[in-house]
Amino acid sequence: MKKIIPILLLFVVSVVKAQSNSVDAASQIELSTYVSDGVEGLTDIARNNLENKLSQIVTANGMGVSSAYSRFIITANIEVLSKDITATAPPMQAYTLGVNFYIGDGMEGIKFSSYSVTVKGVGTNETKAYIAALKNIKTNDPQYQVFINKAKLKIIDFYNKKCDAIITEAKSAAGQGQYDAALYKLATIPTACKECYAKAVPITKVIYKQQIDRECKVNLANAKSSWASNQDQYGATSASEYLALIDPNASCYKEAQAFSNQIAAKILADEKREWNFRMKVYQDDVTAERAAMQAARDISLAYAKAEVINYTIVGWW
C-alpha cells in the first residue's frame, strides 16, 4: 500500500546509559498508528476512533506513539461478525466486530505480534453502531502487555542483527555525497538499541561534519557572488543571508568570518552605517555538540518528509 508519509526519526543527543533491561529500554521505541484504507466498514470518524484506540493501547503499555510515521507500526483489521436489528422501539442497529491488532515492520512487511478482541455496539444506524463498538475496545486489557512486549523484543533484535549493515549503508551513502540519506539511515536507530545506537553516534558526527563542510563551501561561494554583484548594503544583506547558514564547526567557517569582516569594513567605510550582521557562534563545546546532533536530526527529518514509503501489511491477516 503506497502512501506519501513522513517517517518518524528517533535521535537523541546522548547515548542512553546501560542500566535497564531490554524490555524496559524498548519503551523508548515509538510506533506509528496506521489504518489501511481497506478496513471493512471504516468511515473517517471510525478511522479516527480506531487510531485513537491504537495510540491509547501503545502508551498504556510502555511505548511511545510517534507524531509522524516510523518503520514500525501498530495497525488493525476489522471483521464485521454480525449485524442485527434490536427488538426495541425504535429499532436499533447492533454490530459485533472482531478487531485484530498487529505490530510489525511496515517497510519490510514483517509481522511481529498480534492480538484479537471482540466488541459490540448499538446505534440508531449502522455507522453509529460501528463507532459504538469501536469505543468499547478496552485499552487496559492486560493481554496487550504481552502483545506489546513481544513486538518490543523483536524490534530490538531487528536492529541488533542489522546494525553493522545499517552503518555500512550510511557510510556508503555518505561516500557518494548523499549525506541526507546517510544521516537518515543512522537516525532511524532507536536509543533502546543501546549498542547499535552507541556505534551510530560517532559515525553520525563524522557524516554531519562532511555535510556542513560541503554546505559551507556552497554558501560561502553564493555569498561571494552576491557581494561581487552588488558591493553595497543590498549586496551585503544578500551575502549575509548565505553566511548565516554556515555552521561554526564547518571547515571554511574562519574564511567565511574573514569575508564577513571584509564586507563590514567596506560598508562602514563607504556608507558610514553600522554593520549589524554577526555570524553564528557557539559559546562552548557542549552547546556545539547539542546543536550538531539536533541539526543532524533536522536534516534527517527534511530528507524523510520527501520520501515515498511503501507500507506492506499483506498477509498480516
Side-chain angles (χ1 to χ4, degrees):
M1 299 177 187
K2 289 187 177 180
K3 195 170 184 179
I4 298 177
I5 52 177
I7 310 168
L8 172 73
L9 304 174
L10 300 178
F11 219 90
V12 188
V13 172
S14 59
V15 179
V16 176
K17 295 181 180 179
Q19 299 294 329
S20 58
N21 60 38
S22 58
V23 173
D24 291 334
S27 64
Q28 300 157 40
I29 298 171
E30 294 188 346
L31 296 176
S32 292
T33 59
Y34 174 70
V35 178
S36 167
D37 293 333
V39 175
E40 183 181 358
L42 205 64
T43 63
D44 288 342
I45 294 174
R47 176 188 295 275
N48 289 336
N49 282 329
L50 181 56
E51 288 179 343
N52 287 336
K53 288 292 184 180
L54 293 175
S55 296
Q56 291 168 23
I57 289 168
V58 171
T59 55
N61 290 277
M63 292 186 76
V65 178
S66 69
S67 57
Y69 285 83
S70 67
R71 80 174 294 141
F72 301 111
I73 61 174
I74 180 169
T75 187
N77 184 46
I78 296 175
E79 300 175 76
V80 178
L81 301 178
S82 67
K83 298 180 186 179
D84 299 299
I85 298 177
T86 66
T88 59
M92 303 283 280
Q93 298 287 332
Y95 264 49
T96 301
L97 306 179
V99 185
N100 308 300
F101 300 100
Y102 306 91
I103 296 175
D105 181 347
M107 292 176 66
E108 294 196 7
I110 302 171
K111 180 174 67 178
F112 291 158
S113 63
S114 61
Y115 179 60
S116 300
V117 298
T118 300
V119 291
K120 297 181 179 182
V122 177
T124 55
N125 57 46
E126 291 186 351
T127 299
K128 290 182 178 180
Y130 190 103
I131 293 172
L134 291 181
K135 288 181 178 179
N136 284 326
I137 296 173
K138 306 299 182 185
T139 59
N140 58 352
D141 183 339
Q143 287 301 311
Y144 287 132
Q145 189 68 57
V146 178
F147 165 61
I148 295 281
N149 282 346
K150 182 179 179 182
K152 287 177 180 179
L153 294 174
K154 289 193 174 182
I155 291 172
I156 289 178
D157 186 59
F158 170 90
Y159 279 106
N160 287 340
K161 288 180 177 178
K162 295 200 171 187
C163 185
D164 291 341
I166 292 170
I167 291 175
T168 297
E169 289 173 1
K171 288 180 177 178
S172 176
Q176 299 172 44
Q178 299 172 7
Y179 302 118
D180 292 7
L183 291 171
Y184 153 68
K185 290 179 183 295
L186 297 173
T188 60
I189 300 171
T191 57
C193 304
K194 292 176 283 190
E195 291 186 8
C196 186
Y197 183 82
K199 288 182 182 179
V201 168
I203 307 301
T204 299
K205 293 177 181 178
V206 170
I207 294 175
Y208 175 67
K209 182 64 164 59
Q210 294 171 340
Q211 169 83 318
I212 63 174
D213 283 351
R214 180 179 67 179
E215 291 180 347
C216 185
K217 292 178 181 178
V218 171
N219 286 316
L220 180 56
N222 287 335
K224 288 182 176 180
S225 176
S226 295
W227 177 242
S229 299
N230 296 286
Q231 294 191 13
D232 53 21
Q233 188 66 34
Y234 175 82
T237 300
S238 178
S240 70
E241 291 175 355
Y242 290 110
L243 294 173
L245 299 174
I246 295 175
D247 192 291
N249 290 319
S251 58
C252 72
Y253 179 75
K254 289 185 178 179
E255 181 183 353
Q257 276 188 315
F259 180 62
S260 175
N261 292 336
Q262 177 184 332
I263 294 175
K266 175 72 173 177
I267 292 296
L268 291 172
D270 290 357
E271 301 190 19
K272 308 298 183 184
R273 61 189 302 171
E274 184 179 1
W275 172 242
N276 291 319
F277 173 71
R278 297 289 184 273
M279 292 187 66
K280 188 190 305 179
V281 177
Y282 294 140
Q283 299 302 318
D284 53 56
D285 292 340
V286 173
T287 302
E289 178 84 358
R290 289 175 179 170
M293 297 303 282
Q294 179 61 44
R297 177 184 180 279
D298 291 343
I299 290 169
S300 299
L301 284 170
Y303 173 84
K305 286 178 180 179
E307 288 297 284
V308 177
I309 302 301
N310 293 331
Y311 268 0
T312 303
I313 56 176
V314 175
W316 287 23
W317 54 76

